[in-house]
Amino acid sequence: MSGTVDRWTTTLRRAWRAGTLWPWCLAAIAAACGYAVATVFHPGYLSADSNTQLWQALGDEPVNDWHPPVMALAWRIIIQITGDFSAMAALQAAVLWGTLWVLAQLGWKKTGSRGLSLAVLAVGFAPHIMNLTGVVWKDVHMAYALLAVFAIALTVRELPQDRTKTRWALLVLGVLFLAYAALVRKNGIPAVIPVFALLVLAAWPAPSRRRWLAATGVFVAVVIAGSAGVSAATAPLATSVYAVIPVDDLVHVLTPAQVRTAAEQAGASADLRDHLVTTAVNCQKQHITSDAYLQCYPHRRPFDVTYLNRHADVLVRMWTQQMPQHWKDYAEYRVRVFTKLLFQTNQVFWNGTHVNAGARLHPEVQKEPLNDTLRFALQNYVTGFARDLPMLFQGWFWLAVSLVLVLRRRRTGPYTRELRLLGASSLLYILAYLPTAPESNYRYVYWPALSGTVALALIAITFVARRRAAADGPAGEPDAHPTVPSAGRAPEAAPAGPREDADVAV
């Protein structure tokens, strides 16, 4: 018996020294941390938006496209599988910590540093990341889906060249995550594009124009097919939610008298005209600078989600007629709202489950109350950091990080291209809010904060990898890209996997 124990002990010691045991240790640590975070948030923090989507997911309200139907459908499927609405928040934590584990073990392989691999996992405990992990929001879903694609791309890049089936399976999974990100947050398309490029370049580091066109066509087809499938499964009511942006611009750029004139010129009904004028007056009196449709518009009860859909054409017509004439005031207004998003970000912590006045919290949520002790502990943790390190929760900081990632040219290392594309994704996503930002909520910059934090961890890994390569000998810098199949090789010499055809290789 003692001999068997000694053999097991010797084997484990050898595995520990060789490093083969550490990825499994990382997996156990990630699983434990993910479970702990899911426990803190159980059964999930809900806002008015997520409460509405829960009603839709359970079939108690018709689905509409004010919020992403794909999220309601995904939640419905999860509830059907698990029988519990809280599985959605748990799944969010699982996706985040599973992705961080993949990145951590990739960093371990690059550097051999247990400390750095643990630092990658620690991203999940960062106050500006953990604060929204269990909040059921589309912003969180988009961020975690994009981060998962990033981890998949790095994994594909590092795969041995003979792992053809694994490579293709991961590419398919990456495309599905990307499609979900595009469908769950439609203004997130600018953020999706660089991550899509990152996935393509992981499989084909020098793709030809034909390869780019083919990959783009496949991705667009998947998104269109996914959108059609979601619509067929949910039959969402049309709401034309995009029309809230013209409402904001019109009532803040024009005076109430100008709003009345613009409405009459565009052929608006008397009811819509009077409501827009009242909205402009209300916003001026209450000093509300954005989100006019929800904050200042005189709605009837109950809230009619299809109201905008009936007037969207007139609102867009008013916008196209008036904004070119008042372009200077329009630019100034949009800069004002955008700078508020960058420098006065609010809602850094969503404190539990809350719904709007007059709205009903779903009975299923009432059956599973939050753990107030853990909620207060999390609140103290997040708000304490927001007080002492406010830049972590401000859009300007993550905009600056993304600019550095994109514009720094002298950086070398194993993740040079990936970091630049990750920065481009964050940069484009933030800039996309310049003409569209409705409020200054932190969740609008959650993806830039998450990607920027991961990028900083990868920069540390790159630095250690460079020092390690320099210490190993005169070989110099590690190659920024993995060895890939050459398009011009003969079939018997070319390794398996996605590769360029000989006639289209660059």
Side-chain angles (χ1 to χ4, degrees):
M1 180 67 178
S2 60
T4 303
V5 172
D6 289 341
R7 285 195 298 270
W8 274 104
T9 303
T10 302
T11 301
L12 289 175
R13 285 176 178 173
R14 289 176 180 173
W16 179 262
R17 292 170 183 170
T20 56
L21 193 61
W22 184 243
W24 297 104
C25 293
L26 288 174
I29 294 170
C33 292
Y35 179 79
V37 171
T39 300
V40 170
F41 282 98
H42 183 80
Y45 291 4
L46 307 184
S47 68
D49 295 351
S50 38
N51 179 62
T52 298
Q53 291 221 282
L54 178 58
W55 282 90
Q56 297 171 4
L58 290 171
D60 298 323
E61 283 187 6
V63 177
N64 61 68
D65 61 7
W66 188 283
H67 305 298
V70 67
M71 187 171 168
L73 178 61
W75 207 347
R76 179 182 301 172
I77 294 172
I78 291 170
I79 292 173
Q80 290 175 348
I81 294 174
T82 65
D84 194 345
F85 79 94
S86 66
M88 176 61 87
L91 180 61
Q92 291 177 192
V95 171
L96 173 63
W97 284 92
T99 302
L100 291 177
W101 169 71
V102 172
L103 294 173
Q105 61 95 15
L106 288 173
W108 157 251
K109 291 180 180 178
K110 280 289 182 186
T111 65
S113 170
R114 291 184 173 89
L116 276 178
S117 59
L118 289 174
V120 175
L121 285 184
V123 168
F125 282 131
H128 58 291
I129 304 302
M130 186 179 175
N131 60 339
L132 300 186
T133 298
V135 184
V136 185
W137 273 340
K138 57 188 175 185
D139 312 82
V140 177
H141 280 223
M142 187 201 75
Y144 292 174
L146 290 179
L147 188 66
V149 177
F150 178 71
I152 289 170
L154 293 187
T155 303
V156 168
R157 200 191 75 159
E158 301 294 336
L159 278 177
Q161 297 170 349
D162 59 348
R163 298 283 297 276
T164 309
K165 293 182 179 179
T166 303
R167 186 183 299 266
W168 279 109
L170 288 175
L171 287 175
V172 171
L173 181 62
V175 169
L176 293 178
F177 268 117
L178 267 181
Y180 183 77
L183 293 174
V184 81
R185 193 76 164 128
K186 292 181 180 178
N187 71 324
I189 295 294
V192 169
I193 294 173
V195 180
F196 165 71
L198 196 154
L199 184 64
V200 173
L201 291 170
W204 304 282
S208 67
R209 180 179 298 179
R210 194 175 87 176
R211 181 69 70 183
W212 274 117
L213 291 174
T216 303
V218 169
F219 175 62
V220 172
V222 170
V223 172
I224 293 175
S227 179
V230 170
S231 296
T234 60
L237 297 174
T239 63
S240 298
V241 65
Y242 64 85
V244 299
I245 299 172
V247 172
D248 246 353
D249 293 339
L250 290 167
V251 302
H252 288 106
V253 173
L254 306 180
T255 65
Q258 290 173 331
V259 170
R260 179 180 297 275
T261 302
E264 292 172 350
Q265 291 177 352
S269 64
D271 179 72
L272 177 61
R273 178 200 63 201
D274 294 341
H275 279 58
L276 289 174
V277 172
T278 302
T279 302
V281 172
N282 289 342
C283 282
Q284 286 183 0
K285 287 182 178 179
Q286 301 175 46
H287 304 288
I288 295 175
T289 58
S290 60
D291 202 22
Y293 184 70
L294 295 180
Q295 301 294 329
C296 306
Y297 202 89
H299 294 286
R300 298 184 178 92
R301 297 297 178 184
F303 183 80
D304 183 3
V305 294
T306 64
Y307 179 84
L308 274 180
N309 187 58
R310 298 193 296 272
H311 302 285
D313 292 343
V314 174
L315 291 169
V316 172
R317 192 180 310 125
M318 289 176 62
W319 192 96
T320 55
Q321 290 174 351
Q322 299 300 320
M323 291 306 107
Q325 300 177 30
H326 301 84
W327 63 269
K328 184 178 179 181
D329 294 332
Y330 167 74
E332 291 173 352
Y333 168 68
R334 275 298 155 192
V335 169
R336 177 186 180 183
V337 177
F338 187 63
T339 53
K340 186 177 180 181
L341 173 65
L342 294 182
F343 298 99
Q344 296 184 16
T345 307
N346 56 30
Q347 288 189 2
V348 299
F349 177 68
W350 187 259
N351 193 9
T353 293
H354 304 280
V355 296
N356 295 333
R360 290 188 303 140
L361 188 64
H362 198 281
E364 291 296 323
V365 180
Q366 299 177 24
K367 294 177 183 178
E368 296 191 51
L370 302 174
N371 186 319
D372 286 336
T373 302
L374 295 179
R375 179 171 61 85
F376 285 129
L378 179 62
Q379 181 183 16
N380 294 335
Y381 173 61
V382 173
T383 56
F385 268 95
R387 180 192 63 238
D388 299 332
L389 292 173
M391 73 284 293
L392 294 178
F393 303 88
Q394 298 295 326
W396 68 264
F397 180 76
W398 299 112
L399 176 62
V401 170
S402 63
L403 282 170
V404 170
L405 292 174
V406 171
L407 299 179
R408 186 182 174 190
R409 295 294 182 183
R410 299 183 63 183
R411 180 178 58 242
T412 58
Y415 299 122
T416 300
R417 183 168 60 188
E418 287 77 8
L419 289 174
R420 184 167 290 120
L421 287 170
L422 197 62
S425 175
S426 298
L427 178 62
L428 292 175
Y429 185 60
I430 293 176
L431 293 179
Y433 276 108
L434 178 57
T436 63
E439 295 181 85
S440 55
N441 294 348
Y442 171 71
R443 61 189 177 118
Y444 297 151
V445 295
Y446 188 64
W447 163 239
L450 177 60
S451 62
T453 306
V454 170
L456 294 176
L458 291 182
I459 289 173
I461 290 174
T462 299
F463 177 75
V464 173
R466 290 172 60 188
R467 293 192 61 180
R468 182 182 181 187
D472 286 344
E477 300 286 350
D479 190 5
H481 309 292
T483 304
V484 295
S486 173
R489 293 180 185 174
E492 64 274 13
R499 59 184 177 87
E500 290 295 323
D501 295 329
D503 58 333
V504 296
V506 175

CSV table of all heavy atoms in Angstrom, one decimal, residues 15-16 19-32 101 114 117-118 121:
chain,number,residue,atom,x,y,z
A,15,ALA,N,4.9,15.5,-12.4
A,15,ALA,CA,3.9,16.2,-13.2
A,15,ALA,C,3.9,17.7,-12.8
A,15,ALA,O,3.8,18.6,-13.6
A,15,ALA,CB,2.5,15.6,-13.1
A,16,TRP,N,4.0,18.0,-11.5
A,16,TRP,CA,4.0,19.3,-11.0
A,16,TRP,C,5.3,20.1,-11.5
A,16,TRP,O,5.2,21.2,-12.0
A,16,TRP,CB,4.0,19.4,-9.5
A,16,TRP,CG,4.0,20.7,-8.9
A,16,TRP,CD1,5.1,21.4,-8.4
A,16,TRP,CD2,2.9,21.7,-8.8
A,16,TRP,NE1,4.8,22.6,-8.0
A,16,TRP,CE2,3.4,22.8,-8.2
A,16,TRP,CE3,1.6,21.6,-9.1
A,16,TRP,CZ2,2.6,23.9,-7.9
A,16,TRP,CZ3,0.8,22.7,-8.8
A,16,TRP,CH2,1.3,23.8,-8.2
A,19,GLY,N,5.1,20.7,-15.2
A,19,GLY,CA,4.0,21.7,-15.6
A,19,GLY,C,2.8,21.1,-16.2
A,19,GLY,O,1.8,21.8,-16.5
A,20,THR,N,2.7,19.8,-16.3
A,20,THR,CA,1.6,19.2,-16.9
A,20,THR,C,0.4,19.2,-16.0
A,20,THR,O,-0.8,19.1,-16.5
A,20,THR,CB,1.9,17.7,-17.4
A,20,THR,OG1,2.3,17.0,-16.2
A,20,THR,CG2,3.0,17.7,-18.4
A,21,LEU,N,0.6,19.3,-14.7
A,21,LEU,CA,-0.5,19.3,-13.8
A,21,LEU,C,-1.1,20.7,-13.6
A,21,LEU,O,-2.3,20.8,-13.2
A,21,LEU,CB,0.0,18.8,-12.4
A,21,LEU,CG,-1.0,18.5,-11.3
A,21,LEU,CD1,-1.9,17.3,-11.8
A,21,LEU,CD2,-0.3,18.1,-10.0
A,22,TRP,N,-0.4,21.8,-13.9
A,22,TRP,CA,-0.8,23.1,-13.6
A,22,TRP,C,-2.1,23.5,-14.4
A,22,TRP,O,-3.0,24.2,-13.8
A,22,TRP,CB,0.3,24.1,-13.9
A,22,TRP,CG,-0.1,25.5,-13.5
A,22,TRP,CD1,-0.1,26.6,-14.3
A,22,TRP,CD2,-0.4,26.0,-12.2
A,22,TRP,NE1,-0.5,27.7,-13.6
A,22,TRP,CE2,-0.7,27.4,-12.3
A,22,TRP,CE3,-0.5,25.4,-10.9
A,22,TRP,CZ2,-1.0,28.1,-11.2
A,22,TRP,CZ3,-0.9,26.2,-9.8
A,22,TRP,CH2,-1.1,27.5,-10.0
A,23,PRO,N,-2.2,23.2,-15.7
A,23,PRO,CA,-3.5,23.6,-16.3
A,23,PRO,C,-4.7,23.0,-15.6
A,23,PRO,O,-5.8,23.6,-15.6
A,23,PRO,CB,-3.3,23.0,-17.8
A,23,PRO,CG,-1.9,23.0,-18.0
A,23,PRO,CD,-1.3,22.6,-16.6
A,24,TRP,N,-4.6,21.8,-15.1
A,24,TRP,CA,-5.7,21.2,-14.4
A,24,TRP,C,-6.0,21.9,-13.0
A,24,TRP,O,-7.1,22.1,-12.6
A,24,TRP,CB,-5.5,19.7,-14.1
A,24,TRP,CG,-5.4,18.9,-15.4
A,24,TRP,CD1,-4.3,18.5,-16.0
A,24,TRP,CD2,-6.5,18.6,-16.2
A,24,TRP,NE1,-4.6,17.8,-17.2
A,24,TRP,CE2,-5.9,17.9,-17.4
A,24,TRP,CE3,-7.8,18.8,-16.2
A,24,TRP,CZ2,-6.7,17.4,-18.4
A,24,TRP,CZ3,-8.6,18.3,-17.2
A,24,TRP,CH2,-8.0,17.6,-18.3
A,25,CYS,N,-4.9,22.4,-12.4
A,25,CYS,CA,-5.0,23.2,-11.2
A,25,CYS,C,-5.7,24.5,-11.6
A,25,CYS,O,-6.6,24.9,-10.8
A,25,CYS,CB,-3.7,23.5,-10.6
A,25,CYS,SG,-2.8,22.0,-9.9
A,26,LEU,N,-5.4,25.1,-12.7
A,26,LEU,CA,-6.0,26.3,-13.1
A,26,LEU,C,-7.5,26.1,-13.4
A,26,LEU,O,-8.4,26.9,-13.0
A,26,LEU,CB,-5.4,26.9,-14.4
A,26,LEU,CG,-4.0,27.5,-14.2
A,26,LEU,CD1,-3.4,27.8,-15.6
A,26,LEU,CD2,-4.0,28.7,-13.4
A,27,ALA,N,-7.8,24.9,-14.0
A,27,ALA,CA,-9.2,24.6,-14.2
A,27,ALA,C,-10.0,24.5,-12.9
A,27,ALA,O,-11.2,25.0,-12.8
A,27,ALA,CB,-9.3,23.3,-15.0
A,28,ALA,N,-9.4,23.8,-11.9
A,28,ALA,CA,-10.1,23.7,-10.6
A,28,ALA,C,-10.3,25.0,-10.0
A,28,ALA,O,-11.3,25.3,-9.4
A,28,ALA,CB,-9.3,22.7,-9.7
A,29,ILE,N,-9.3,25.9,-10.0
A,29,ILE,CA,-9.4,27.2,-9.4
A,29,ILE,C,-10.4,28.0,-10.1
A,29,ILE,O,-11.3,28.7,-9.5
A,29,ILE,CB,-8.0,27.9,-9.5
A,29,ILE,CG1,-7.0,27.2,-8.6
A,29,ILE,CG2,-8.1,29.4,-9.1
A,29,ILE,CD1,-5.6,27.7,-8.8
A,30,ALA,N,-10.5,28.0,-11.5
A,30,ALA,CA,-11.5,28.7,-12.2
A,30,ALA,C,-12.9,28.2,-11.9
A,30,ALA,O,-13.8,29.1,-11.8
A,30,ALA,CB,-11.2,28.6,-13.7
A,31,ALA,N,-13.0,26.9,-11.8
A,31,ALA,CA,-14.4,26.4,-11.5
A,31,ALA,C,-14.8,26.8,-10.1
A,31,ALA,O,-16.0,27.2,-9.9
A,31,ALA,CB,-14.3,24.9,-11.6
A,32,ALA,N,-13.9,26.8,-9.1
A,32,ALA,CA,-14.2,27.2,-7.8
A,32,ALA,C,-14.6,28.7,-7.8
A,32,ALA,O,-15.6,29.1,-7.1
A,32,ALA,CB,-13.1,26.9,-6.8
A,101,TRP,N,-10.0,30.8,-18.0
A,101,TRP,CA,-9.2,29.6,-17.8
A,101,TRP,C,-8.4,29.3,-19.1
A,101,TRP,O,-7.2,29.0,-19.1
A,101,TRP,CB,-10.0,28.4,-17.4
A,101,TRP,CG,-9.3,27.1,-17.5
A,101,TRP,CD1,-8.2,26.7,-16.7
A,101,TRP,CD2,-9.4,26.1,-18.5
A,101,TRP,NE1,-7.7,25.5,-17.1
A,101,TRP,CE2,-8.4,25.1,-18.2
A,101,TRP,CE3,-10.2,25.9,-19.6
A,101,TRP,CZ2,-8.3,24.0,-19.0
A,101,TRP,CZ3,-10.1,24.8,-20.4
A,101,TRP,CH2,-9.1,23.8,-20.1
A,114,ARG,N,3.5,30.6,-13.2
A,114,ARG,CA,2.2,30.3,-12.5
A,114,ARG,C,1.5,31.6,-12.0
A,114,ARG,O,0.3,31.7,-12.1
A,114,ARG,CB,2.4,29.3,-11.4
A,114,ARG,CG,2.8,27.9,-11.8
A,114,ARG,CD,3.0,27.0,-10.6
A,114,ARG,NE,3.1,25.6,-11.0
A,114,ARG,CZ,4.3,25.0,-11.3
A,114,ARG,NH1,5.4,25.8,-11.1
A,114,ARG,NH2,4.4,23.8,-11.6
A,117,SER,N,-0.3,33.3,-14.9
A,117,SER,CA,-1.6,32.6,-15.3
A,117,SER,C,-2.7,32.8,-14.2
A,117,SER,O,-3.8,32.9,-14.6
A,117,SER,CB,-1.3,31.1,-15.4
A,117,SER,OG,-0.8,30.5,-14.2
A,118,LEU,N,-2.2,32.9,-13.0
A,118,LEU,CA,-3.2,33.2,-11.9
A,118,LEU,C,-3.7,34.7,-12.1
A,118,LEU,O,-4.9,35.0,-11.8
A,118,LEU,CB,-2.6,33.0,-10.5
A,118,LEU,CG,-2.4,31.6,-10.1
A,118,LEU,CD1,-1.6,31.5,-8.8
A,118,LEU,CD2,-3.7,30.8,-10.0
A,121,LEU,N,-6.6,34.8,-14.4
A,121,LEU,CA,-7.8,34.4,-13.8
A,121,LEU,C,-8.3,35.5,-12.8
A,121,LEU,O,-9.5,35.7,-12.7
A,121,LEU,CB,-7.6,33.1,-12.9
A,121,LEU,CG,-7.4,31.8,-13.6
A,121,LEU,CD1,-7.3,30.6,-12.6
A,121,LEU,CD2,-8.6,31.5,-14.6
